[in-house]
Amino acid sequence: MPVTTIAGRDIHVDDEGFLTTYDEWDPDLAEQLAAQIGIELTDAHRKAIDFLRADYATQGETANLRRVSTLGGIPTKELFTLFPKKPAKKMAYIAGLPKPHGCV
């Protein structure tokens, strides 16, 4: 697996830049990852990211957009506003999780 340096730390990533080691993530890294794709995190962003990480810990895979909307209680329209164009992919990237199944 490739290793990249973000905020002075070595982070294991896949070929697309998604983290591959769950425990390397922390909220400070999330801020850095978000900044790299032009997103400034707010409490609304963090709610979605926290849901994704908690869900991943119990389910073993990254939640898709429908799951985040239904179980996380965040309307799909709001997710598209918070994470424009490809919300599931961007949420997973910032949350330090694998890209969801079905994302291109």
Side-chain angles (χ1 to χ4, degrees), residues 1-61:
M1 295 273 166
V3 176
T4 189
T5 302
I6 301 172
R9 295 169 38 194
D10 288 341
I11 304 294
H12 293 82
V13 296
D14 66 12
D15 293 335
E16 294 183 77
F18 287 84
L19 273 66
T20 57
T21 306
Y22 183 85
D23 293 329
E24 289 181 344
W25 184 91
D26 63 32
D28 293 332
L29 182 61
E31 294 284 344
Q32 296 292 321
L33 294 170
Q36 286 183 356
I37 58 173
I39 293 176
E40 185 175 334
L41 294 181
T42 64
D43 288 342
H45 290 97
R46 288 183 193 90
K47 178 182 176 185
I49 290 165
D50 290 346
F51 171 80
L52 267 184
R53 290 198 52 88
D55 190 69
Y56 182 86
T58 61
Q59 299 299 312
E61 66 180 19

Side-chain angles (χ1 to χ4, degrees), residues 44 47-52 55 63-79 82 91:
K47 178 182 176 185
I49 290 165
D50 290 346
F51 171 80
L52 267 184
D55 190 69
N64 61 24
L65 203 57
R66 173 176 277 170
R67 186 172 177 85
V68 175
S69 182
T70 304
L71 298 179
I74 306 165
T76 302
K77 189 173 182 176
E78 183 178 342
L79 293 171
L82 294 169
M91 285 187 296

Side-chain angles (χ1 to χ4, degrees), residues 80-96:
F80 271 92
T81 301
L82 294 169
F83 305 94
K85 297 186 181 167
K86 296 192 179 239
K89 191 172 182 178
K90 290 180 178 182
M91 285 187 296
Y93 178 76
I94 295 168

